[in-house]
Amino acid sequence: MNPNSLVSIDGLTKEQILDLLQTARYFEEHPNHKILDGKVVATLFFEPSTRTRLSFETAVNRLGGRVIGFSDASTTSSSKGETLKDTIKMVSNYVDLIIMRHYLEGAARYATEVTDVPVVNAGDGANQHPSQTMLDLYSILKTQGTLENLTITMVGDLKYGRTVHSLLMAMKYFNPTFRFVACDELKMPREYVEFCRKQGIAFEEHTDFSRDVIDSSDIIYMTRVQRERFSDIMEYEKVKDLYTLRNSMLDTSKENLRILHPLPRVNEINQDVDDNPKAYYFDQARNGLYARQAIICRALGISPEKI
Amino acid sequence: MATDKRELAVAALQCGTVIDHIPSEALFKCVKILGIETMPHKLTIGNNLESKRLGTKGIIKVADTFFPEATLNRIALIAPSAVVNIIRDYEVVEKRRVELPKVIKGIVKCDNPKCITNNEPMATVFEVVDGAENLIRCHYCNHTVANGKANIL
């Protein structure tokens, strides 16, 4: 196992997170610093994910490295019954870094255990997606100037949304106040509520996406309510529009408020919000490039500021 | 020698291991975890016996066998009340409770069908959740399960 592998955000210390954010900031200023000359990176996408793959591959290309890989497992030996272990061991012979997305949960952890090449988890099923969390943290830092003492409101699907779970865990170092806004079916799971209690993190749970909640937030993190999560379609119809953000709801919000969303969005953020300067979700996606450049450098043990 | 036919006679062990105070519902899972089905030694398994502590209990006696401590501790997952007696020359020379190890390898099946352990030829690994009431967590997919409900492989 390579110690520079990144499987899960909770494997990082506060210092490591701050280092990564500082490196991300460096890459925002120097996006084309060619420090991966001669390095080959594999992007193994056993599950399609256009956004994440393009962003990782752009990151490698801008750093001057080369990319091999696949974006569809049906064209690989895994469709012939090859185990993940064998695929990882084979690819390890060729590359300096493996970036992997897999539909099975725990696949990334297992991959790190069968190779000495660093592995970066680009999402394993509903489990972990640490590069998304890094870009969320970078977006918060960039828009607020700090990560400390912020009021963060999470809205929508808090039960299945892995991005809100990982963000919650990563924010434990920065004394946040959380608001969880969701219907009963999709409320924050008990283990994360317990996590907040144990860490002494202040939080409130709401079923109503009220003006009071919006007006006291520094960050509103919207998520998509997915129809397939409901066993009763009537329940879905009842709640699907309860958590839609409209421009008029932001009239009296704080100046520094920014709206984040991991995308893709469906109807939980009305189109009329897009032109509001507080809408940040498209810039947030661009920050993914810098965050991923930082993650790649850390995995390869390269510090760009020193080169 | 006249034996009362209304009672079942079980010979005392001269030498071996007695595992007592196993919850009745966990007895056969313990048999499986300890792998004693294929042992050639004399073996007595009793279940639904009266117990002041548990209501009913199970007991396992294996002659001429001493299990490594780590093996015995594997049953702590489903039988935390179990007590191990080591017998030599008809005497109990050691008596102790089983202890749940911090990491449990290859016993529990992860009940998340999308977990990598259910899709690759590999051993499962579970860790005891810090400070949580009898919860274990899959090392790979982070799925948690209550000890008592663990699915034994």
Side-chain angles (χ1 to χ4, degrees), chain A residues 244-255:
Chain A
T244 297
L245 183 65
R246 295 169 209 287
N247 200 29
S248 57
M249 296 159 75
L250 297 171
D251 287 349
T252 50
S253 62
K254 288 164 83 166
E255 244 344 275

Side-chain angles (χ1 to χ4, degrees), chain A residues 83-84 105-106 110 113 127, chain B residues 112 114 116 120 139-140 142:
Chain A
T83 62
L84 176 63
E105 292 153 29
Y110 182 56
E113 291 174 0
N127 190 26
Chain B
N112 172 9
K114 290 190 72 190
I116 185 74
E120 281 265 316
H139 168 68
Y140 294 98
N142 292 313

Side-chain angles (χ1 to χ4, degrees), chain B residues 119-135:
Chain B
N119 294 274
E120 281 265 316
M122 62 187 285
T124 65
V125 178
F126 279 79
E127 287 143 6
V128 177
V129 176
D130 269 346
E133 61 289 2
N134 306 323
L135 269 187

Side-chain angles (χ1 to χ4, degrees), chain A residues 85-153:
Chain A
K85 178 181 175 180
D86 288 11
T87 305
I88 295 293
K89 282 206 162 297
M90 183 273 298
V91 172
S92 297
N93 293 322
Y94 307 143
V95 300
D96 303 291
L97 169 66
I98 293 172
I99 295 166
M100 185 177 91
R101 150 92 49 138
H102 205 287
Y103 50 90
L104 292 173
E105 292 153 29
R109 172 88 55 207
Y110 182 56
T112 65
E113 291 174 0
V114 299
T115 178
D116 291 328
V117 172
V119 176
V120 169
N121 184 6
D124 58 334
N127 190 26
Q128 301 289 327
H129 193 7
S131 67
Q132 175 71 43
T133 311
M134 284 312 303
L135 80 87
D136 290 343
L137 290 173
Y138 185 57
S139 299
I140 295 171
L141 175 65
K142 226 175 106 176
T143 58
Q144 306 297 318
T146 177
L147 290 174
E148 304 279 349
N149 309 318
L150 297 172
T151 299
I152 299 175
T153 300

Side-chain angles (χ1 to χ4, degrees), chain A residues 45-80:
Chain A
F45 278 62
F46 292 87
E47 176 187 60
S49 164
T50 319
R51 195 185 322 271
T52 306
R53 183 172 60 84
L54 291 181
S55 154
F56 266 116
E57 292 185 354
T58 305
V60 176
N61 281 308
R62 288 198 180 273
L63 294 168
R66 307 296 292 258
V67 179
I68 64 161
F70 51 83
S71 54
D72 179 0
S74 66
T75 61
T76 71
S77 291
S78 66
S79 67
K80 300 176 191 163

Side-chain angles (χ1 to χ4, degrees), chain B residues 5-151:
Chain B
K5 287 185 179 166
R6 285 171 300 180
E7 270 192 50
L8 175 69
V10 176
L13 272 188
Q14 186 197 355
C15 181
T17 304
V18 176
I19 307 166
D20 199 0
H21 301 292
I22 301 171
S24 287
E25 65 279 5
L27 177 83
F28 287 99
K29 282 182 177 177
C30 290
V31 168
K32 198 172 167 191
I33 289 175
L34 293 170
I36 52 185
E37 289 149 307
T38 53
M39 282 183 175
H41 307 289
K42 280 186 188 161
L43 178 69
T44 312
I45 296 173
N47 204 10
N48 301 325
L49 307 171
E50 277 175 32
S51 162
K52 280 184 194 149
R53 245 197 289 164
L54 301 170
T56 65
K57 67 173 182 177
I59 189 166
I60 298 171
K61 293 182 171 191
V62 195
D64 304 317
T65 303
F66 303 100
F67 297 92
E69 193 171 333
T71 306
L72 288 169
N73 283 341
R74 288 156 73 104
I75 67 168
L77 189 67
I78 50 168
S81 56
V83 174
V84 176
N85 299 276
I86 308 294
I87 316 285
R88 288 185 204 273
D89 248 347
Y90 299 104
E91 297 285 334
V92 177
V93 295
E94 192 189 330
K95 194 180 184 90
R96 60 175 181 81
R97 300 188 72 133
V98 291
E99 274 175 39
L100 187 63
K102 287 227 170 341
V103 178
I104 302 141
K105 277 193 184 158
I107 304 175
V108 180
K109 182 181 181 335
C110 185
D111 55 17
N112 172 9
K114 290 190 72 190
C115 178
I116 185 74
T117 60
N118 288 317
N119 294 274
E120 281 265 316
M122 62 187 285
T124 65
V125 178
F126 279 79
E127 287 143 6
V128 177
V129 176
D130 269 346
E133 61 289 2
N134 306 323
L135 269 187
I136 53 173
R137 172 181 284 130
C138 175
H139 168 68
Y140 294 98
C141 75
N142 292 313
H143 193 83
T144 53
V145 59
N147 283 358
K149 293 191 178 151
N151 212 334

